[in-house]
Amino acid sequence: MSFDLVFFGGTGDLTWRKLMPALFQAFRHGKLPADGRILAVARETQSDEQYRAWLRERFQDVDTPKRPTEEEFSRFAEMLFYRRMDLSQPQDYARLKEWLEERRADTAVLYLATSPHLFPVICEQLGRAGLNDPHIRVVLEKPLGHDLRSAQEINRVVRSVFTEQQAFRIDHYLGKPSVQNLMALRFGNVLFEPLWRRESIANIQITLAESIGVGTRGDFYDRTGALRDMIQNHALQLLTMIAMEPPASNDADAIRDEKLKVLRSLKPFTMESVLRDVVRGQYRAGAIDGKPVPGYLDEQKVPADSQTETFVALRTEVQNWRWAGVPFYLRTGKRLAARDAQIVVNFRPTPHNIFGGVSQPNKLVIKLQPEDGLELHLLAAKGALQHDLLSPVFLDLDFDKAFPTERVGAYERLLLDVIAGRLNLFVRSDEQEQAWRWVEPILEAWSLDTSGPRPYKAGSWGPPAASALVARDGFAWAEEQ
């Protein structure tokens, strides 16, 4: 199969840090179709050879195991091309069309790795240039909008040019092998699905924690914040995959229909419930791995009086028969105690305890990063004494060890899916807008709340109020159990 892949924003951080290395890994693994061209477009003036040399230098910053040898890069570079392009100029789109029609590949992928405010401009120009044939697909990076209104406007413009089947709204968390295993865990095995309901589960916790700060992205992050950056997309997508009903098939729309039902079933926020059920925080100076780190207000390009949140914890419920009354806790933040992304399913305690000592409920831990696997926490008797107390044990499945040669990275998987036209791991427009619709009351409440985010020390697990949020229901975050 022949393909052309065009990166708008071809010299940007996302392209050289994530997308190009992912494509190289697909090339190295022999999974990238051989008859392909990769075109980077940006405002700078460069030749093909200059761009290849520029990218080769950037590849030195890639993790060593993923770094190409000189021979590997030379072969990969034969697929790389560069064009200078002003995204506001119609004639540049006409020249791009000419380049694509030189050979009329089976598939042309237009990847918008630019600031989201440029999406409408680019899509409108693509439409005017006739770059929207059925064989063309457009990829939209998150964040898709700043609020519901801007997201709807982006989708309006995209729909005026492309069909829904041509639009790939990417959320790289959905490409993680561990996230794909959520579907396999639930719908490829008979073990858990009968227990996957309110009668057996006490609460579910989704944590997306980062130990890093905002780094050099202070200007972008201050306009975004943790709610828009992580909750509205990544965390809610994970919640839908945990809470969705079994789809009728593995078809993309069958899956996305069920995810949308979950988003529509989420308990809506009011001004009062935001104050009660949502905690926002902002990190102060502290220490990570024993080294001092600055507070958020001391980071580069962050205003000294910024009220932007770097931490969010919230409580919600899915209001349907399967999940009625089960609290879902979502948490994300920067400069937390560890880099840790996981889903914890806490089961209810046994209805009648016949053993002495503390009865600890079972739990299933779905690890997303840095490890990738499952832990099932149980109780067992040592068998040493007649009245032996139960002790906690756990079954640990490390997917990287179970599948040492089969794993692919998130962007590698998603880029290959775009080229192949598989929409299963991409977000549909109605999903995306419903997620914005759900978080919008939180943003509105914060805009009227002059108290601002709660401070927390870098290297901690966030403001104490986040622990109190869970303790109010008689539960605790995983690290506090």
Side-chain angles (χ1 to χ4, degrees):
M1 180 186 74
S2 62
F3 74 93
D4 286 332
L5 175 53
V6 181
F7 288 121
F8 292 84
T11 56
D13 277 10
L14 175 64
T15 300
W16 72 262
R17 287 184 186 275
K18 299 290 186 181
L19 302 178
M20 286 296 189
L23 279 175
F24 169 72
Q25 292 305 313
F27 173 81
R28 172 184 271 175
H29 296 153
K31 296 181 179 180
L32 193 65
D35 190 9
R37 298 187 302 178
I38 303 165
L39 175 67
V41 301
R43 293 182 67 97
E44 298 89 342
T45 300
Q46 295 190 73
S47 66
D48 293 340
E49 287 304 323
Q50 286 173 322
Y51 181 76
R52 291 165 182 165
W54 176 87
L55 186 63
R56 179 70 184 97
E57 184 178 340
R58 296 300 180 280
F59 267 42
Q60 298 307 306
D61 293 331
V62 174
D63 291 342
T64 303
K66 298 181 179 181
R67 199 175 297 167
T69 65
E70 289 295 335
E71 186 272 335
E72 285 177 323
F73 187 81
S74 294
R75 289 190 290 114
F76 178 65
E78 293 175 3
M79 305 175 71
L80 298 177
F81 301 89
Y82 181 87
R83 288 286 186 280
R84 183 192 180 281
M85 190 166 176
D86 184 332
L87 298 181
S88 66
Q89 297 302 312
Q91 61 268 25
D92 285 359
Y93 290 86
R95 283 193 283 268
L96 173 62
K97 185 178 182 180
E98 291 174 4
W99 187 84
L100 290 172
E101 290 186 342
E102 285 177 3
R103 62 172 192 153
R104 187 75 177 187
D106 297 326
T107 299
V109 176
L110 310 178
Y111 198 120
L112 309 193
T114 67
S115 175
H117 79 272
L118 294 174
F119 291 175
V121 174
I122 297 172
C123 288
E124 286 174 346
Q125 293 282 9
L126 291 172
R128 290 176 186 144
L131 285 168
N132 58 346
D133 290 348
H135 79 294
I136 291 178
R137 296 163 190 152
V138 62
V139 183
L140 305 166
E141 257 293 345
K142 74 116 183 156
L144 283 160
H146 192 71
D147 51 22
L148 176 60
R149 183 177 178 180
S150 59
Q152 289 173 326
E153 175 59 18
I154 290 173
N155 285 330
R156 182 194 67 79
V157 175
V158 172
R159 279 193 293 265
S160 72
V161 179
F162 300 98
T163 67
E164 187 66 43
Q165 296 299 310
Q166 291 175 281
F168 289 69
R169 295 168 187 83
I170 198 166
D171 184 331
H172 72 271
Y173 258 73
L174 298 184
K176 290 179 178 292
S178 49
V179 175
Q180 297 163 41
N181 266 303
L182 283 176
M183 295 284 288
L185 174 73
R186 291 195 56 197
F187 309 130
N189 300 282
V190 74
L191 182 62
F192 288 111
E193 191 58 27
L195 306 176
W196 216 257
R197 56 191 67 250
R198 62 187 303 275
E199 290 84 2
S200 301
I201 292 177
N203 69 85
I204 293 177
Q205 303 175 10
I206 299 175
T207 294
L208 304 176
E210 298 177 286
S211 58
I212 62 172
V214 297
T216 60
R217 299 169 67 239
D219 182 51
F220 163 79
Y221 194 88
D222 201 65
R223 289 180 277 110
T224 306
L227 185 72
R228 292 183 175 95
D229 191 40
M230 298 295 287
I231 297 293
Q232 184 272 337
N233 38 71
H234 300 328
L236 281 186
Q237 283 295 314
L238 294 175
L239 187 155
T240 62
M241 297 183 78
I242 282 288
M244 66 189 281
E245 294 296 319
S249 69
N250 200 30
D251 175 73
D253 278 332
I255 294 169
R256 298 190 292 184
D257 286 345
E258 297 301 336
K259 289 163 63 181
L260 179 61
K261 289 178 186 177
V262 175
L263 291 169
R264 288 175 172 167
S265 300
L266 286 176
K267 187 176 182 179
F269 282 107
T270 64
M271 178 69 73
E272 293 75 21
S273 65
V274 169
L275 295 175
R276 183 184 67 243
D277 294 337
V278 183
V279 176
R280 58 172 168 160
Q282 188 184 87
Y283 65 84
R284 299 293 185 258
I288 301 291
D289 296 329
K291 298 178 181 178
V293 295
Y296 178 72
L297 298 179
D298 297 319
E299 298 279 18
Q300 298 177 36
K301 301 179 182 178
V302 173
D305 59 349
S306 173
Q307 297 289 292
T308 298
E309 80 286 354
T310 63
F311 175 94
V312 177
L314 62 84
R315 179 193 190 278
T316 189
E317 296 179 18
V318 178
Q319 296 180 314
N320 61 21
W321 275 39
R322 180 185 288 263
W323 296 112
V326 176
F328 285 73
Y329 305 106
L330 278 58
R331 176 177 60 164
T332 187
K334 292 203 174 282
R335 287 298 187 204
L336 296 181
R339 176 176 177 258
D340 186 24
Q342 64 177 18
I343 301 167
V344 180
V345 179
N346 289 300
F347 291 93
R348 296 190 182 278
T350 53
H352 175 62
N353 183 23
I354 64 172
F355 297 95
V358 178
S359 177
Q360 181 177 311
N362 304 135
K363 67 178 178 180
L364 174 67
V365 181
I366 303 165
K367 298 183 290 185
L368 308 178
Q369 67 179 28
E371 293 88 9
D372 177 10
L374 299 172
E375 286 182 1
L376 180 59
H377 292 247
L378 307 167
L379 294 174
K382 295 180 181 179
L385 299 171
Q386 185 177 1
H387 301 290
D388 203 3
L389 300 180
L390 297 185
S391 299
V393 296
F394 66 91
L395 305 176
D396 187 3
L397 172 60
D398 186 328
F399 286 131
D400 286 328
K401 292 180 180 177
F403 309 112
T405 61
E406 303 293 332
R407 313 292 271 169
V408 298
Y411 273 112
E412 180 182 350
R413 167 67 187 268
L414 293 173
L415 285 164
L416 291 173
D417 278 0
V418 175
I419 294 170
R422 293 186 291 263
L423 281 157
N424 297 46
L425 299 178
F426 295 85
V427 181
R428 205 166 57 191
S429 61
D430 50 3
E431 283 183 80
Q432 178 224 347
E433 290 180 13
Q434 185 59 34
W436 276 118
R437 196 170 285 113
W438 185 73
V439 302
E440 192 124 286
I442 304 176
L443 295 169
E444 292 174 359
W446 285 353
S447 69
L448 300 173
D449 181 8
T450 57
S451 61
R454 302 169 187 263
Y456 65 95
K457 188 176 181 180
S460 70
W461 280 105
S467 296
L469 175 71
V470 182
R472 192 177 68 210
D473 295 327
F475 303 125
W477 292 106
E479 74 276 358
E480 299 171 344
Q481 293 174 4

